[in-house]
Amino acid sequence: MTEAELELVAVEQQVADLFAAGKIPAPVHLSGGNEKILITMFRYSIDIQNDWVLSTHRWHYHYLLKGGTRESLINHLLTKPHESMVMQDRDLK
């Protein structure tokens, strides 16, 4: 695995651990196994600066690859559990 893939997997593991510990009281859908294709898609198909990224219920990798931070993702899941399946961040450019 590449460093980028390992970082995505580490974030998903942190989310899974927080959910298992009862810290995220709402459902979360993890994206394990599709790291390589998403990294390739974001690298070659998406204009990171100008394109909007819309996703379904498995949004963690999309958010991170668009430029969101691990800290903001985790904070969102911990403080807005009713929004565990969605994330809007209009500040990502």
Side-chain angles (χ1 to χ4, degrees):
M1 279 191 157
T2 67
E3 187 176 326
E5 290 172 77
L6 291 171
E7 177 61 23
L8 293 178
V9 170
V11 172
E12 284 294 79
Q13 186 60 57
Q14 182 180 3
V15 171
D17 292 345
L18 288 167
F19 179 78
K23 305 255 188 224
I24 302 172
V28 292
H29 290 265
L30 304 176
S31 298
N34 63 356
E35 299 84 13
K36 185 179 293 274
I37 190 66
L38 282 173
I39 290 168
T40 301
M41 183 180 81
F42 272 76
R43 183 174 295 143
Y44 298 110
S45 301
I46 294 175
D47 179 347
I48 294 296
Q49 296 300 314
N50 297 306
D51 288 349
W52 287 70
V53 175
L54 304 174
S55 182
T56 59
H57 59 279
R58 297 176 198 264
W59 56 269
H60 305 153
Y61 287 172
H62 303 94
Y63 176 73
L64 294 168
L65 290 168
K66 176 67 170 138
T69 66
R70 175 192 280 222
E71 294 76 22
S72 60
L73 185 149
I74 298 298
N75 183 58
H76 176 84
L77 292 171
L78 294 173
T79 62
K80 298 178 182 175
H82 60 287
E83 295 179 12
S84 66
M85 302 278 189
V86 297
M87 172 92 166
Q88 292 184 38
D89 190 339
R90 295 174 188 253
D91 293 331
L92 286 180
K93 302 280 188 244

